[in-house]
């Protein structure tokens, strides 16, 4: 599903009928009769086919005038990583938006940072995500705010600040327009005294090899204590002093705790956590594409949960999933795009170098 036009409406409906978890986060269903959009795994009764249509992103649903379902809670769906191979510009733009680039800046400034024109950026977003950049940013703010309302004890003013809204008034007006109720009405329990740490559960697509990830992070010098990763936050990099810890929770969830002096810096910290732990990876898409290589196929089957350890600071214009450091692999890895980095990672874990593959290929040709 590389573009909006590639979304097979009938296939989407079949996935909804069976509540197929493999499609969670890959698309959202808009229900015409209720004005609500849902995840494919929503436990509510499935509407009739003629009353539904499907869009690739939550932003596209909200831009079309639909509001998020309060039962399946779209903000808890795994990030959809399949788009990462469709456009490097979209990939970079989404990373910047997730870090808060449009909370204070505008689309023109965002396009300038990407080295493209504003019109071209808007066209790319329409093509690949079905929504404008500002709509994507607005949906990110709303879904992060909903997660904070449901999972934390932050006050509504703190939620507004932490999710990227410019003011409490704008925060309240947005929720009133989307849900016909104030944001405080979405909290299912009374407020308790806030203990200073923001605790959130972020989603990912299983499988996930936590032992391999934590070992790789420790080997490069990150602080890892048992199964808990931690990092100090600084104003120069993160926008505020503080700390962040990450540890695996139940399957499909990672527990994050952020202690931070300025809640406005929270979106950027969460974006970096997602990058370091590669939470947006799509294991199904990666395995499907890379298994066409006869060498990689058994390696993927043996280690299906490998993820790329990301950098906390990453200004490279090339997306992490398609980076390739071993020049000897360049020719063979051309067929691995956009997952070259994953192919190289599986080879490295298996102790196979590009030179080994070249030597093997030369021997086969000589025979």
């Amino acid at each position: 599903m590389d573009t909006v036009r590639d979304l097979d409406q009938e296939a989407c409906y079949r996935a909804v009928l069976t509540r197929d978890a493999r499609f969670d986060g890959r698309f959202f269903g808009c229900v015409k009769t209720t004005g609500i959009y849902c995840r494919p795994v929503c436990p509510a009764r499935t509407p009739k086919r003629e009353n539904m249509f499907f869009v690739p992103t939550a932003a596209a649903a909200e831009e079309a005038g639909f509001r998020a379902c309060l039962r399946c809670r779209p903000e808890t769906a795994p990030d959809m990583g399949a788009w990462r191979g469709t456009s490097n510009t979209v990939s970079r733009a989404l990373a910047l938006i997730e870090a808060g680039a449009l909370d204070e800046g505008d689309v023109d400034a965002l396009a300038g940072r990407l080295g493209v024109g504003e019109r071209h950026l808007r066209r790319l977003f329409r093509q690949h995500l079905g929504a404008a950049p500002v709509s994507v940013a607005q949906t990110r703010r709303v879904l992060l705010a909903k997660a904070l309302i449901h999972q934390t004890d932050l006050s509504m003013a703190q939620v507004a600040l932490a999710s990227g809204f410019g003011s409490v008034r704008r925060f309240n007006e947005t929720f009133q327009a989307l849900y016909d109720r104030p944001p405080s009405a979405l909290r299912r329990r009374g407020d308790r005294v806030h203990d200073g740490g923001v605790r959130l559960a972020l989603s990912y697509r299983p499988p996930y090899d936590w032992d391999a990830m934590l070992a790789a992070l420790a080997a490069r010098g990150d602080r890892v204590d048992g199964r808990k990763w931690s990092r100090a936050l600084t104003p120069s990099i993160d926008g505020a002093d503080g700390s962040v810890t990450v540890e695996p929770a139940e399957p499909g969830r990672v527990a994050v705790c952020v202690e931070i002096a300025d809640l406005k810096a929270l979106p950027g910290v969460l974006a970096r956590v997602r990058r370091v732990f590669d939470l947006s990876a799509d294991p199904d898409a990666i395995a499907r594409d890379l298994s066409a290589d006869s060498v990689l196929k058994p390696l993927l089957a043996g280690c299906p949960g490998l993820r790329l350890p990301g950098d906390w600071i990453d200004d490279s214009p090339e997306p992490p999933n398609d980076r390739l450091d071993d020049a000897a692999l360049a020719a063979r890895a051309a067929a691995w795009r956009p997952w070259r980095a994953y192919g190289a990672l599986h080879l490295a874990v298996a102790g196979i170098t590009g030179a080994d593959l070249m030597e093997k290929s030369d021997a086969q040709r000589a025979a």
Side-chain angles (χ1 to χ4, degrees):
M1 298 179 192
D2 287 349
T3 70
V4 174
R5 291 186 297 273
D6 291 332
L7 206 58
D8 185 328
Q9 297 286 312
E10 299 305 321
C12 289
Y13 189 68
R14 289 194 295 271
V16 169
L17 285 174
T18 59
R19 294 181 174 82
D20 193 331
R22 294 175 301 171
F23 294 91
D24 192 16
R26 296 180 187 274
F27 66 84
F28 296 88
C30 300
V31 185
K32 301 174 187 177
T33 51
T34 62
I36 289 172
Y37 73 93
C38 300
R39 296 160 60 188
V41 295
C42 184
R45 181 179 177 180
T46 304
K48 295 180 179 179
R49 173 67 186 89
E50 60 266 27
N51 293 329
M52 293 192 77
F53 69 92
F54 303 94
V55 294
T57 62
E62 295 200 356
E63 190 176 86
F66 292 81
R67 62 186 185 278
C69 175
L70 296 179
R71 290 193 65 182
C72 65
R73 295 176 55 200
E75 73 273 11
T76 64
D79 282 348
M80 199 276 279
W83 52 260
R84 293 197 299 176
T86 64
S87 167
N88 284 353
T89 300
V90 172
S91 176
R92 293 165 57 204
L94 284 171
L96 291 171
I97 289 173
E98 186 180 16
L102 292 184
D103 291 346
E104 296 180 357
D106 57 20
V107 177
D108 189 48
L110 175 63
R113 293 176 66 177
L114 298 168
V116 299
E118 181 182 359
R119 281 188 178 181
H120 181 58
L121 183 62
R122 292 180 188 276
R123 281 196 298 269
L124 288 175
F125 267 65
R126 286 288 176 197
Q127 177 186 356
H128 296 288
L129 304 176
V134 291
S135 297
V136 171
Q138 173 79 324
T139 299
R140 180 198 63 79
R141 285 190 287 267
V142 168
L143 296 184
L144 174 55
K146 281 192 67 190
L148 292 169
I149 290 170
H150 284 295
Q151 298 183 40
T152 76
D153 295 312
L154 294 174
S155 69
M156 292 300 117
Q158 289 173 316
V159 169
L161 188 66
S163 53
F165 285 91
S167 67
V168 175
R169 178 180 177 181
R170 182 184 174 194
F171 170 63
N172 288 330
E173 288 176 346
T174 299
F175 271 77
Q176 191 68 45
L178 285 174
Y179 300 103
D180 197 27
R181 66 192 74 182
S184 57
L186 299 179
R187 179 161 278 170
R188 297 174 182 173
R189 53 179 171 74
D191 286 341
R192 297 197 299 266
V193 176
H194 177 50
D195 64 5
V198 179
R199 299 180 182 272
L200 282 173
L202 301 182
S203 300
Y204 64 85
R205 294 182 183 281
Y208 195 115
D209 191 334
W210 279 104
D211 291 336
M213 172 59 81
L214 293 172
L217 294 175
R220 76 180 189 186
D222 287 20
R223 182 175 179 180
V224 178
D225 184 11
R227 292 175 68 80
K228 179 182 288 188
W229 173 93
S230 62
R231 180 183 175 90
L233 305 176
T234 63
S236 60
I237 295 174
D238 308 296
D241 287 310
S243 65
V244 56
T245 63
V246 178
E247 56 188 325
E250 66 270 20
R253 297 284 187 273
V254 56
V256 180
C257 180
V258 181
E259 299 269 359
I260 198 162
D262 186 352
L263 285 170
K264 288 178 65 177
L266 181 65
V269 172
L270 295 179
R272 294 183 183 98
V273 166
R274 288 190 177 95
R275 180 172 64 228
V276 167
F277 287 89
D278 199 16
L279 297 183
S280 295
D282 187 339
D284 291 338
I286 294 166
R288 180 193 65 227
D289 294 345
L290 293 184
S291 290
D293 187 296
S294 60
V295 174
L296 290 178
K297 186 174 182 178
L299 302 181
L300 288 156
C303 300
L306 280 184
R307 301 291 175 106
L308 294 170
D311 296 323
W312 190 256
I313 304 172
D314 189 343
D315 297 322
S316 173
E318 190 174 27
N321 51 280
D322 204 36
R323 294 174 191 167
L324 190 68
D325 296 325
D326 189 345
L329 286 173
R332 188 185 190 105
W336 301 349
R337 287 185 178 275
W339 315 117
R340 294 190 303 174
Y342 292 98
L345 176 63
H346 277 275
L347 291 176
V349 169
I352 302 172
T353 66
D356 293 335
L357 289 180
M358 290 180 65
E359 183 177 343
K360 182 178 179 181
S361 296
D362 290 343
Q364 289 175 341
R365 284 194 294 269

